[in-house]
């Protein structure tokens, strides 16, 4: 059971008449006396690590703030401190918080590995004039007020955010105020200025570029950019087999697959452009692990002069693509080589494929990707890194987490999505790896030009070239 214990130690509150209180399981509240000046926002730290920056709201009986602390670290107690621009306003020692998940993993260990706020934007609805986009975005530094979206000038929209999100709160158990993650974005197409682009926006918040110093400046926000398909007819064509959709994305419907596929296409296109791969006659692109063409279809539709190919180990989905999409589709074996010719592709992308492979299979496919790339070609290959580990942390026991952080790689978990569909039911895994591991091990096979954290959803992107 979680209980409040302890109170402020004498002399801890500096000058400000701030009263802190705590209600189990996680609720921290601070009250300033009426009529006394108070900061607009305060920083909340647990055991010295600032977790949240929350707004102070003025009311008739004085100003106050609330903050749902995540379950916190330390074996028996945590020190909570409230600060204003580094100045201590108050402190409180809380014991017996639900500080760990069921596997004994503490929240601060997860937060240390991934302190970027994750988001998911699966829903889109259009009624002829108003486009509604909804999803969830973890409050940056625990504060929904810090989040905004940016559109082209002239776009008319409203952004309701900081809405209750019990599911996100459960999943992102380590994040402060994760239960205030939901948003609804309402875009008034008819009311927007002609010529502006209401189909793209990006999330913005202070500190968004923290830790991205090695990433080229134009690519730093690539993962925060959402692109909406303006041609809603794109949604109509998907496999109707019960599992053909869901074994590509664990949770699916036509609309979300269209939306995420299109947004991913735009991100890959921007990355390719940055590295010199643009549409044109004779340009060859390979979607490695194409599934049912969630992303491939947009290359086929938009890069009309290029030759677009898809390859997958899932013969049923490859057959569906061959019948329903223009483009060349090939079933490939679980381990290379493939029949595809040497040095034939300007660009290869692989979304959420390495995330399912063992160490041995990753190594073999990196060699194959190097063989298939033209000398100046570029490969964009995602892997499940820190954000993916944080996303699944609710299920991870503490020993697993420690081992993973130390070793940097885990491919032990079986993923049943392709059971019965490929020759070896032991092949498909849920693989999670750190950036450090990825650079060190993948560099034995290819040049790792860079890594872009959170480039595609919760996955990181490795930018690869043939070794020179
Ligand atoms: C999570 S799905 C992603 C599909 C697609 N890239 C997308 O983003 O929609 C992973 C896909 O990779 C395929 N796959 C797994 N291992 C592969 C391999 N070694 N070579 C080619 N495809 C593979 C699976 O069959 C599956 O279609």
């Amino acid at each position: 059971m979680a209980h409040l214990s302890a109170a402020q130690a004498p002399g801890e509150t500096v000058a400000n008449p701030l009263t802190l209180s705590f209600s189990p399981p996680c609720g921290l509240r601070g009250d300033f006396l009426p009529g006394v000046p108070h900061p607009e926002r305060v920083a909340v730290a647990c055991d010295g690590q600032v977790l949240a920056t929350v707004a102070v709201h003025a009311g008739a009986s004085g100003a106050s703030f609330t903050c749902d602390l995540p379950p916190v670290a330390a074996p028996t107690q945590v020190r909570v401190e409230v600060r204003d621009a580094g100045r201590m306003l108050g402190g409180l020692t809380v014991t017996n918080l639900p500080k760990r998940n069921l596997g004994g993993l503490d929240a601060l260990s997860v937060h240390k590995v991934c302190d970027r706020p994750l988001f998911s934007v699966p829903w889109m609805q259009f009624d002829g004039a108003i486009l509604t986009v909804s999803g969830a975005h973890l409050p940056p530094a625990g504060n929904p007020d810090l989040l905004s979206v940016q559109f082209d000038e002239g776009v008319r929209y409203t952004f309701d955010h900081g809405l209750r999100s019990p599911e996100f709160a459960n999943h992102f158990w380590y994040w402060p105020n994760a239960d205030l993650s939901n948003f609804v974005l309402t875009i008034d197409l008819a009311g927007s200025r002609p010529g502006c682009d209401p189909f793209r926006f990006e999330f913005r918040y202070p500190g968004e570029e923290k830790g991205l110093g090695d990433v080229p400046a134009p690519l730093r926000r690539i993962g925060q950019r959402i692109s909406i398909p303006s041609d809603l007819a794109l949604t109509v064509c998907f496999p109707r087999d019960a599992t053909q959709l869901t074994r590509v994305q664990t949770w699916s419907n036509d609309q979300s697959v269209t939306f995420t596929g299109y947004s991913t296409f735009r991100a890959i296109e921007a990355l390719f452009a940055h590295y010199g791969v643009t549409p044109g006659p004779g340009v060859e692109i390979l979607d490695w692990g194409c599934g049912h063409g969630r992303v491939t279809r947009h290359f086929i539709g938009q890069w009309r002069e290029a030759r677009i190919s898809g390859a997958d180990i899932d013969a049923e989905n490859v057959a569906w693509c061959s019948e329903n999409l223009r483009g060349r589709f090939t079933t490939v074996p679980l381990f290379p080589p493939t029949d595809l010719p040497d040095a034939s592709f300007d660009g290869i992308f692989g979304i959420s494929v390495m995330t399912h492979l063992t160490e041995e299979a990753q190594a073999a496919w990196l060699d194959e990707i190097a063989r298939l790339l033209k000398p100046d070609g570029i490969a964009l290959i995602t892997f499940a890194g820190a954000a993916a580990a944080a996303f699944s942390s609710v299920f991870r026991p503490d020993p697993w987490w420690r081992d993973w952080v130390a070793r940097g790689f885990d491919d032990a978990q079986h993923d049943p999505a392709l059971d019965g569909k490929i020759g070896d039911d032991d092949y498909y895994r849920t693989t999670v790896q750190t950036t450090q591991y990825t650079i060190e091990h993948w560099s034995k096979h290819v040049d790792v030009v860079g890594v872009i954290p959170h480039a595609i959803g919760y996955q990181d992107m490795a930018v690869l070239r043939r070794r020179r």
Side-chain angles (χ1 to χ4, degrees), residues 244-250 257 260-261 264 287-296 311-315 317-318 330-336 338 349-357 361-362 365 382 415 417-418 421-422 427-428 456 459:
Q244 249 172 298
L245 267 175
T246 54
R247 65 182 180 250
V248 172
Q249 294 194 303
T250 44
V257 176
T260 61
T264 302
D287 181 353
W288 172 58
C290 59
H292 49 59
R294 184 180 72 105
V295 182
T296 345
D312 205 290
I313 55 173
D314 180 342
N317 263 330
V318 169
T330 320
T331 305
V332 291
L334 302 186
F335 282 88
T338 64
F349 63 95
I351 311 295
S352 195
V353 186
M354 289 299 195
T355 57
H356 295 287
L357 301 191
Q362 284 197 355
W365 280 100
T382 68
D415 180 335
L418 290 179
K421 299 292 177 189
I422 53 176
Y427 181 80
Y428 214 52
I456 306 290
Q459 296 188 15

